[in-house]
Amino acid sequence: MEHPAIQATGLCKSYRSGKLQTPVLQGLSIEIAPAQLTLVEGPSGCGKSTLLALLGGLLRPDAGEVTVLGNELWRMSPRQLEQFRLRHTGFIFQGFNLFGALSCREQVMLPLGYLGIDPAAARRRADEALEEVRMSARADLRPSQLSGGEKQRVAIARALAKRPQLLFADEPTSALDAANGRQLIELLHSIARHHGTAILCVSHDPRLIKEGDRVMQMEDGRIVSDTSPTALEAATP
Ligand SMILES: Nc1ncnc2c1ncn2[C@@H]1O[C@H](COP(=O)(O)OP(=O)(O)OP(=O)(O)O)[C@@H](O)[C@H]1O
């Protein structure tokens, strides 16, 4: 891998509650490539969300280094880190995290305002992103008027409109039925290809495995396998 979007080495993380200390990651190293959909799959509690939060700069590791787009995350000040995340990363969560009072277009425009993009340009970008996720016809509706799959597509458009180099998705399909889940993963795959975005998606849904460019299996805080199903499929006669 020539220039990984993310390079993390020796990551350790434990959670402490009272006297109880739960080690989750003990020296995990990982690299994530641009323009690929990387899936991390594994049983509940194995540490997937913790890994995502560490790589996305949401959680500080107890030990180890996380370098994202050439920047060592934890050498930045809190303000620099916040700006870095705002500019370069998008997050998609299981629960969609949409604002009930805003239309789809307004949801997508909101972070663009934080980036200092003027309203006319923000509206154009929002409409482009909504078109890419096939939600143009519903741009003026609010979340209560949308299905689960549609809500998640708006959440993707909101992340995409920032044109981030990295997208993190934590169980994005778990509130969706099988058909919608599959469509969503296909959409992420197409975003990675067309925009060169590094997409890291964690899931405990084994049905999604063959949609990933790269699939890592995680168990007890360790990566136990690392394969490229799409490359394998292409190479199979
Ligand atoms: N804030 C916290 N405080 C204490 N323990 C935590 C905290 N967050 C996670 N844990 C524990 O760390 C372990 C790993 O949790 P994590 O959420 O990373 O797993 P996961 O693989 O994403 O699970 P799931 O698929 O159920 O979301 C679990 O045992 C969990 O109970």
Side-chain angles (χ1 to χ4, degrees), residues 15 24 43-50 171 204:
Y15 293 106
V24 180
S44 181
C46 72
K48 303 182 297 295
S49 298
T50 302
E171 304 277 1
H204 59 234

Side-chain angles (χ1 to χ4, degrees), residues 8-235:
T9 47
L11 291 182
C12 296
K13 184 71 192 171
S14 299
Y15 293 106
R16 202 183 305 263
S17 43
K19 283 187 181 163
L20 190 70
Q21 181 148 347
T22 317
V24 180
L25 305 183
Q26 300 178 70
L28 185 146
S29 297
I30 189 170
E31 288 189 352
I32 306 292
Q36 280 199 350
L37 172 60
T38 301
L39 296 178
V40 175
E41 203 261 346
S44 181
C46 72
K48 303 182 297 295
S49 298
T50 302
L51 176 64
L52 196 84
L54 291 171
L55 299 180
L58 298 171
L59 194 64
R60 187 176 194 132
D62 301 331
E65 293 206 333
V66 184
T67 302
V68 179
L69 308 173
N71 300 274
E72 221 280 82
L73 286 188
W74 300 103
R75 295 225 175 102
M76 295 187 208
S77 68
R79 169 101 186 120
Q80 284 172 325
L81 181 57
E82 192 192 312
Q83 284 300 312
F84 181 83
R85 289 187 28 226
L86 182 64
R87 290 195 179 278
H88 300 295
T89 65
F91 283 84
I92 298 154
F93 298 100
Q94 171 180 0
F96 319 128
N97 291 20
L98 299 178
F99 295 101
L102 299 185
S103 71
C104 297
R105 182 182 291 109
E106 289 165 339
Q107 317 267 355
V108 180
M109 285 176 67
L110 193 67
L112 302 181
Y114 298 145
L115 282 171
I117 295 170
D118 76 69
R123 190 185 161 111
R124 279 197 303 276
R125 270 209 204 185
D127 284 346
E128 266 173 45
L130 286 166
E131 194 176 336
E132 184 159 358
V133 302
R134 301 184 312 279
M135 284 297 288
S136 300
R138 291 178 159 70
D140 295 313
L141 301 185
R142 293 186 182 179
S144 61
Q145 299 168 293
L146 305 177
S147 71
E150 289 168 344
K151 284 184 211 170
Q152 197 56 299
R153 275 158 39 210
V154 174
I156 292 179
R158 181 177 54 188
L160 194 59
K162 294 202 302 177
R163 301 180 183 158
Q165 284 162 278
L166 291 158
L167 268 182
F168 295 94
D170 195 348
E171 304 277 1
T173 63
S174 60
L176 307 180
D177 62 31
N180 273 299
R182 205 184 154 83
Q183 277 177 18
L184 195 103
I185 290 290
E186 282 170 9
L187 179 61
L188 291 179
H189 202 165
S190 127
I191 289 169
R193 269 198 209 149
H194 291 119
H195 297 276
T197 319
I199 306 188
L200 179 63
C201 172
V202 309
S203 173
H204 59 234
D205 186 347
R207 292 172 305 183
L208 305 178
I209 282 182
K210 56 182 178 302
E211 308 297 334
D213 293 305
R214 183 175 169 208
V215 178
M216 284 181 256
Q217 297 280 345
M218 198 167 169
E219 271 173 32
D220 293 333
R222 289 176 302 121
I223 306 287
V224 293
S225 82
D226 185 349
T227 53
S228 298
T230 42
L232 286 178
E233 215 167 274

